[in-house]
Amino acid sequence: MDPLAAYTFRVWLGEDEYGFSKVSGLSRESEAVVYQEGGLNNRVHVLPGVVKNPGVLRLERGAYAGKEFPFYLAGERLSETLRIDIRPSGSSKGKGKVYALTGLWVKKWEAGELDALQNTLLIDRFELNYDYLYISE
C-alpha cells in the first residue's frame, strides 16, 4: 500500500516526493506607502510598497516509517539551491499549478499528542522558513 495515497498534496524536495495532508503559509504581502503630496491637503496617495516574501510554510502529515526525512532537522538550512515544489494531488509533476519555495530552513518540528486512550493518528507538524515564493500555472 502506498502511504502517500491518502495525502492531498504532494511536495517535492529536489527529486524526492513526500505527501502531506495539510499545507499552509503560502502567502505574499505588500505594504502600503502613504504619500502626502505638497500643496494638496485634502487627500493622500496610497502606493504599493515593498513586497514581503519571507514566510513560514506549515506542513502536516501522519507519521509513518519510510525513507529518511529531512524536515526533522530543526535549525538546519536546506541546500541554497534546493527548492520545494507543492502541487495538488490531482496534478502530476510538470502539469497544473505549482508553488515553488526557495531559501529554506527548518524552523520547527513537532509530534502530535501521544495518547493511549485515543484511537487517532500520530501527526507530524513541520514549519519551514522560506525566502521566496514562486507561483506558476
Side-chain angles (χ1 to χ4, degrees), residues 86-102:
I86 301 170
R87 295 176 177 82
S89 62
S91 61
S92 61
K93 195 167 183 179
K95 296 181 181 178
K97 184 169 278 202
V98 178
Y99 303 93
L101 299 103
T102 59

Side-chain angles (χ1 to χ4, degrees), residues 5-108:
Y7 296 120
T8 308
F9 297 94
R10 299 299 172 110
V11 176
W12 277 269
L13 180 60
E15 293 298 317
D16 295 329
E17 179 183 4
Y18 303 98
F20 289 91
S21 57
K22 188 174 181 181
V23 176
S24 64
L26 297 171
S27 67
R28 290 172 62 180
E29 180 181 347
S30 175
E31 291 183 358
V33 176
V34 178
Y35 177 72
Q36 176 72 45
E37 188 175 346
L40 291 175
N41 296 327
N42 62 345
R43 68 172 192 217
V44 295
H45 299 282
V46 181
L47 306 170
V50 177
V51 175
K52 294 181 187 178
N53 284 315
V56 178
L57 177 67
R58 289 171 203 81
L59 304 164
E60 291 186 14
R61 72 179 195 157
Y64 68 90
K67 59 185 169 184
E68 199 172 305
F69 196 66
F71 298 162
Y72 288 121
L73 304 172
E76 295 288 324
R77 179 173 278 284
L78 303 176
S79 170
E80 290 290 331
T81 58
L82 200 58
R83 77 179 209 184
I84 287 182
D85 290 343
I86 301 170
R87 295 176 177 82
S89 62
S91 61
S92 61
K93 195 167 183 179
K95 296 181 181 178
K97 184 169 278 202
V98 178
Y99 303 93
L101 299 103
T102 59
L104 303 159
W105 61 274
V106 181
K107 179 180 177 182
K108 181 179 179 181

